[in-house]
Amino acid sequence: MSIVEDHDLGGNSISFLEVDGCRYPIVDPEIVKNMSQLKVKADDILLLAYPKSGTHWLWEITSMLLQGKAQTIPHWKGSVMVELQPQEVIDAFPRSPRVLNTHIRYNQLPVQAREKKCRIIFVLRNPKDVAVSFFNHHRSFKCYYGNYNGTLGGHLPFFLSGKTDYGSWFEYVLEWEKDIEAQQDRHQIHVVYYEDLKENLLKEIRKLAVFLGLPADDSLYGAVAEKCSFENMKFDKKPYDPKVDDQLFVYRKGQVGDWQKWLTPEQNEMFDELYQEKMKDSTFKDKIRFTLT
Ligand code: A3P
């Protein structure tokens, strides 16, 4: 358990917390060490995603559906993040059911979450947009990564080789794919794709509400969709989400295909080749909107 300093391919320094060979943002190591022992409730929902896949968005939508009102949740999703908060903070969260959220793998989840068969929402996003979003995240959140000042050219190979916090996107997705398959009899699991939300938010909210066992209510769903638009969340969450220099960095662009403005043709080709190779046996492969056409 230590803080490790690494360097991207451009030689720029970036630091992480490392616990049992896994990298995390620089958070409290005691919480990471003890997260498997976190006590959870049977009705807690587990929201799982690789970083930058839309976790804040899904947390807000799910929490609004559960409260039955299209009203901004006056909390940050980080208040109930498994690897960030101690038991007492999670226990003090004043809402129920809670939408616990995390970027860890199945075998790292709190043991009780597995025993109590908590319901799981799993979010996926095109990894090219994840890569660009994560690059900007690493540059913005100095408190979690030291003073990282790299460029995308140096960061992309670092990301693709799995050296960032939470490791390789490919390993994360492939491992979860196996675990989702293996745990289907145990947990109810709902998979959501960021691009589907962008394409038809109302339809995805309806599907999510069915998964959550909520009574059909189209006027609520419409109001939640409106309240959870990128622009509205960027404004409404300002009092609750973390800011750097008075900016909410999480709500950066909120677009599908922003990677096109960042990746060179060579970087794009390298990404395509790696994706085809790593994901060749994946059943997610055809569902993740990897290309824009
Ligand atoms: P970008 O950096 O591409 O803008 P996470 O919550 O997992 O950290 O993911 C953050 C990404 O989700 C950011 O992507 C952010 O803009 C996007 N996001 C957050 N809220 C959103 C919303 N309401 N609509 C669309 N995208 C949203």
Side-chain angles (χ1 to χ4, degrees):
M1 183 169 74
S2 56
I3 306 294
V4 291
E5 185 188 1
D6 204 344
H7 295 85
D8 72 5
L9 250 74
N12 286 286
S13 156
I14 180 163
S15 299
F16 302 99
L17 171 71
E18 207 168 274
V19 180
D20 297 332
C22 298
R23 288 183 172 183
Y24 301 87
I26 302 172
V27 293
D28 183 342
E30 286 305 311
I31 294 174
V32 173
K33 226 172 65 187
N34 294 321
M35 62 196 177
S36 65
Q37 298 313 312
L38 186 77
K39 293 187 187 68
V40 307
K41 300 180 193 167
D43 68 352
D44 283 335
I45 311 280
L46 293 177
L47 173 59
L48 310 168
Y50 190 84
K52 314 320 291 176
S53 301
T55 330
H56 286 76
W57 196 10
L58 258 300
W59 190 82
E60 194 72 9
I61 294 170
T62 309
S63 304
M64 277 191 199
L65 287 175
L66 290 169
Q67 76 177 357
K69 274 186 278 184
Q71 256 171 27
T72 301
I73 309 299
H75 303 277
W76 176 38
K77 76 139 184 85
S79 344
V80 280
M81 186 172 178
V82 170
E83 59 272 44
L84 193 61
Q85 303 295 356
Q87 183 78 56
E88 57 274 20
V89 171
I90 292 187
D91 284 349
F93 193 69
R95 280 163 183 256
S96 182
R98 303 175 299 194
V99 185
L100 305 182
N101 58 93
T102 178
H103 304 309
I104 58 180
R105 316 275 172 107
Y106 187 75
N107 64 5
Q108 298 173 305
L109 287 180
V111 173
Q112 283 200 353
R114 292 186 261 164
E115 287 172 355
K116 296 188 177 179
K117 304 178 184 173
C118 291
R119 284 175 292 174
I120 290 177
I121 299 170
F122 184 69
V123 192
L124 280 162
R125 185 183 190 188
N126 180 342
K128 289 182 188 171
D129 281 329
V130 169
V132 168
S133 185
F134 216 5
F135 163 66
N136 283 286
H137 173 97
H138 285 137
R139 280 184 56 106
S140 304
F141 287 98
K142 308 286 183 208
C143 57
Y144 290 136
Y145 304 104
N147 196 19
Y148 178 61
N149 282 317
T151 61
L152 186 73
H155 189 273
L156 188 65
F158 193 71
F159 167 79
L160 289 173
S161 59
K163 293 192 171 157
T164 53
D165 35 337
Y166 303 101
S168 154
W169 180 90
F170 297 104
E171 275 173 28
Y172 177 91
V173 172
L174 292 171
E175 203 176 298
W176 265 108
E177 182 169 339
K178 269 203 238 124
D179 286 325
I180 287 176
E181 182 69 28
Q183 302 305 331
Q184 256 169 6
D185 294 339
R186 179 182 277 264
H187 299 269
Q188 293 176 53
I189 302 173
H190 182 64
V191 182
V192 183
Y193 298 87
Y194 180 95
E195 292 74 17
D196 290 349
L197 292 170
K198 288 292 294 188
E199 190 175 86
N200 193 337
L201 186 52
L202 193 57
K203 181 174 162 203
E204 293 304 314
I205 288 177
R206 253 189 225 120
K207 288 191 330 203
L208 183 58
V210 170
F211 172 74
L212 295 169
L214 301 172
D217 185 345
D218 265 359
S219 72
L220 171 67
Y221 304 160
V224 170
E226 170 65 21
K227 199 74 182 148
C228 292
S229 72
F230 179 79
E231 291 306 332
N232 283 340
M233 275 186 71
K234 187 172 181 170
F235 183 79
D236 293 340
K237 292 301 285 188
K238 205 160 183 190
Y240 313 111
D241 284 6
K243 288 177 270 305
V244 181
D245 298 333
D246 206 37
Q247 295 288 324
L248 275 190
F249 272 103
V250 166
Y251 307 94
R252 192 186 60 89
K253 283 275 172 65
Q255 291 171 1
V256 170
D258 183 44
W259 62 264
Q260 293 176 104
K261 300 196 187 88
W262 292 80
L263 268 62
T264 63
E266 294 74 28
Q267 288 167 339
N268 190 31
E269 204 172 307
M270 173 182 73
F271 210 138
D272 285 346
E273 277 172 20
L274 196 65
Y275 186 84
Q276 297 311 332
E277 179 203 320
K278 297 263 190 196
M279 299 293 284
K280 63 180 184 310
D281 298 323
S282 163
T283 51
F284 281 142
K285 180 168 167 253
D286 299 326
K287 296 182 196 139
I288 295 169
R289 305 247 204 115
F290 187 62
T291 54
L292 291 174
T293 49

